[in-house]
């Protein structure tokens, strides 16, 4: 498989890398402290076209290939996940279903504003009683005249506090464990919708998660996405498509941690020499770099297969599983190399360490990814 990047892809990756390293990274301590993203950074991201990479050109986006998208997310991951997560929640899972199965009217109504970031998206599947077992959701959508009435609770939804459009999965067939679910485009101003608890998280500062409450929430029929009862496929496809994006952010974070670690190993002296002279440090750096490179290749492979229309859930799960577990290893090793200074709160390595932990949990835990891969091996 050929992963040779075109001149345009290199230029794209370089421009996002420069934005992250020069504009976003220096502001990360402030983002950590305030748990908010400075509006001017969002404006610069909009000017760079970062909100529109997965949106078709006719609606103002750039509709990049899957490989180009993962390159963008790889570079975003260099600052950790507080800032980067915004683009994944919005352009990945938050608009994927609308782009894939929306009607031309639905797309025209929302996508042009989503392409600029004026309107941000999020994806709401998880509920207090249904996490890994997403098929167990209990939020209902009952048809009443020309509207659906939604009742239920979603929680831990990324980007929902700033979202202007929520893609919500609800049950239209109330029979237990029926897969007849539907997807709805919910605007926060719809009657009966409100944000509940906004959770304080150990990492990903600036990108809060919240609880969403639907109390006889009225959703116009024209805001149902795709045919009634066919939402389960759209939801699982959305999650499958999102996994290489998580993997790409992990790769970018690993690459940044490797840079920090090699720089530190060259300058920190103990026993009269740079710690990078010790074989123990060589071994750590070698394992970090080797696993990072393997993660990058698995991620690019999933993206190229998606571009060729032949990606499977096994491919995307392998990329997400391996890259997120690699990031855990790399962040831990990077902290070890920093010694005690790595444990001081304002050391950036500690931020990566905290951010990294979520990648083995959201968009399907590592156990769920292993289940997908194992079952698919036995099917073939
Ligand atoms: C920061 C953050 C952001 C999130 N963003 C979103 C979002 O934008 N949209 C959204 O819909 N959701 C979101 N989530 C929810 C996330 O996807 C779920 O937390 C995740 O899927 C796990 O579900 P759970 O927390 O209910 O854990 P559980 O499903 O209760 O799992 C608990 C443990 O049991 C294990 N387990 C469960 N089932 C099995 C099994 N069959 N085999 C082996 N082990 C199993 C799990 O792997 C885990 O270790 C977010 C969560 C967080 C923390």
């Amino acid at each position: 498989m050929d992963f040779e990047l075109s001149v345009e892809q290199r230029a794209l990756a370089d421009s996002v890398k420069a934005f992250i390293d020069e504009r976003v990274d220096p502001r990360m301590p402030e983002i950590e402290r305030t748990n908010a993203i400075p509006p001017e950074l969002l404006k610069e991201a909009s000017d760079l076209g970062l909100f529109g990479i997965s949106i078709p050109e006719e609606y103002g986006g750039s509709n990049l290939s899957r490989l180009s998208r993962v390159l963008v997310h790889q570079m975003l991951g260099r600052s950790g996940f507080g800032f980067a997560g915004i683009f994944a929640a919005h352009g990945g899972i938050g608009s994927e279903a609308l782009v894939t199965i929306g009607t031309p009217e639905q797309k025209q109504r929302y996508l042009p504003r989503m392409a600029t970031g004026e309107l941000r998206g999020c994806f709401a599947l998880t509920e207090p009683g249904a996490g890994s077992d997403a098929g167990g959701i209990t939020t209902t959508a009952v048809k009443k005249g020309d509207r659906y009435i939604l009742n239920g609770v979603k929680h831990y939804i990324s980007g929902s506090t700033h979202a202007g459009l929520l893609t919500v999965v609800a049950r239209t067939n109330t029979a237990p464990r029926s897969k007849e679910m539907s997807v709805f485009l919910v605007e926060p101003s719809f009657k009966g919708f409100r944000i509940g608890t906004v959770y304080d998280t150990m990492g990903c500062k600036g990108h809060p998660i919240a609880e969403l409450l639907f109390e006889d929430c009225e959703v116009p029929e024209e805001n149902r996405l795709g045919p009634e009862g066919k939402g389960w496929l759209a939801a699982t496809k959305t999650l499958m498509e999102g996994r290489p994006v998580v993997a790409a952010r992990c790769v970018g974070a690993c690459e940044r941690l490797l840079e920090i670690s090699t720089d530190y190993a060259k300058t920190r002296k103990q026993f009269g020499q740079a710690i990078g002279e010790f074989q123990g440090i060589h071994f750590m750096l070698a394992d970090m770099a080797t696993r990072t490179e393997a993660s990058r290749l698995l991620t690019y492979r999933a993206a190229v297969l998606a571009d060729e229309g032949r990606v499977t859930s096994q491919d995307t799960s392998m990329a997400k599983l391996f890259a997120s577990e690699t990031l855990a290893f790399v962040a831990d090793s990077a902290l070890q190399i920093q010694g005690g200074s790595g444990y001081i709160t304002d050391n950036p390595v500690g931020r990566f360490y905290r951010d990294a932990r979520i990648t083995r949990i959201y968009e399907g835990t590592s156990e769920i990814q292993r289940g997908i891969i194992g079952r698919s091996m036995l099917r073939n």
Side-chain angles (χ1 to χ4, degrees):
M1 186 173 278
D2 182 10
F3 295 136
E4 194 57 47
L5 301 179
S6 67
V7 174
E8 292 77 22
Q9 284 170 323
R10 282 181 195 284
L12 171 74
D14 287 347
S15 67
V16 182
K17 179 173 182 290
F19 170 60
I20 292 297
D21 289 0
E22 291 160 25
R23 303 287 305 148
V24 179
D25 199 56
R27 308 284 298 269
M28 286 314 290
E30 172 193 343
I31 292 171
E32 280 271 287
R33 209 175 46 251
T34 59
N35 199 12
I37 307 292
E40 61 273 21
L41 288 185
L42 295 171
K43 166 80 173 67
E44 287 178 49
S46 171
D47 293 344
L48 264 177
L50 294 181
F51 286 101
I53 62 172
S54 56
I55 293 176
E57 285 164 285
E58 59 196 296
Y59 300 107
S62 51
N63 194 27
L64 297 181
S65 69
R66 296 281 168 180
L67 181 57
S68 296
R69 287 182 211 179
V70 301
L71 281 173
V72 169
H73 285 282
Q74 180 184 345
M75 296 308 152
L76 288 170
R78 294 175 58 82
S79 66
F81 300 141
F83 184 74
I86 289 175
F87 303 91
H90 165 84
I93 56 178
S95 52
E96 187 81 40
L98 173 56
V99 168
T100 315
I101 57 169
T103 63
E105 292 73 28
Q106 289 170 334
K107 291 181 186 180
Q108 193 54 54
R109 203 175 334 140
Y110 296 115
L111 288 181
R113 285 178 293 148
M114 294 183 90
T116 61
E118 179 195 335
L119 191 72
R120 274 155 60 179
C122 72
F123 178 72
L125 175 64
T126 305
E127 299 181 359
S132 301
D133 179 18
I137 63 166
T138 56
T139 295
T140 52
V142 177
K143 186 92 187 295
K144 201 170 165 192
D146 61 354
R147 0 211 91 216
Y148 284 88
I149 308 298
L150 268 60
N151 278 290
V153 178
K154 300 284 176 187
H155 78 170
Y156 304 161
I157 307 306
S158 302
S160 51
T161 51
H162 292 82
L165 189 69
L166 305 101
T167 301
V168 179
V169 187
R171 186 174 286 289
T172 32
N173 180 336
T174 49
R177 302 210 59 86
S178 157
K179 290 276 167 73
E180 284 188 28
M181 300 176 199
S182 300
V183 183
F184 297 91
L185 298 170
V186 177
E187 297 180 25
S189 60
F190 284 177
K191 190 165 168 259
F193 170 78
R194 69 189 166 97
I195 300 272
T197 306
V198 179
Y199 303 92
D200 192 21
T201 49
M202 68 184 270
C204 302
K205 298 291 182 189
H207 187 47
I209 56 174
E211 178 186 46
L212 312 182
L213 304 172
F214 301 87
E215 295 156 326
D216 288 333
C217 174
E218 296 182 19
V219 180
E221 186 177 7
E222 67 259 24
N223 275 41
R224 193 192 64 231
L225 206 49
E228 182 175 301
K230 302 288 180 209
W232 179 245
L233 269 183
T236 47
K237 185 165 182 296
T238 295
L239 289 173
M240 183 183 117
E241 305 276 3
R243 285 175 185 140
V245 167
V246 181
R249 286 203 307 282
C250 292
V251 173
C254 286
E255 288 174 338
R256 181 74 192 111
L257 284 164
L258 271 165
E259 292 166 10
I260 293 171
S261 301
T262 46
D263 284 350
Y264 192 77
K266 283 182 202 164
T267 51
R268 172 70 178 166
K269 288 201 167 59
Q270 286 296 282
F271 300 97
Q273 58 186 24
I275 59 167
E277 301 287 323
F278 299 122
Q279 195 179 44
I281 300 288
H282 297 165
F283 285 3
M284 262 197 262
L285 289 173
D287 286 344
M288 291 158 76
T290 305
R291 293 197 205 178
T292 297
E293 186 62 7
S295 302
R296 191 176 69 81
L297 296 176
L298 270 176
T299 304
Y300 286 10
R301 178 177 174 277
V304 169
L305 288 172
D307 281 329
E308 292 172 356
R310 56 193 183 102
V311 73
T312 64
S313 54
Q314 181 173 340
D315 303 316
T316 58
S317 287
M318 279 181 171
K320 199 257 179 188
L321 172 67
F322 193 75
S324 60
E325 300 211 334
T326 293
L327 176 57
F329 169 77
V330 168
D332 189 68
S333 305
L335 208 143
Q336 192 67 14
I337 289 173
Q338 300 271 323
S341 68
Y343 201 64
I344 305 300
T345 308
D346 64 1
N347 186 316
V349 174
R351 168 163 49 79
F352 279 100
Y353 187 85
R354 289 188 298 278
D355 285 4
R357 193 61 187 85
I358 189 55
T359 62
R360 286 186 281 155
I361 295 172
Y362 63 16
E363 299 201 30
T365 64
S366 287
E367 293 71 37
I368 292 302
Q369 306 307 328
R370 287 190 167 86
I372 292 171
I373 296 164
R375 280 194 301 277
S376 126
M377 288 166 64
L378 293 169
R379 255 197 318 269
N380 292 333

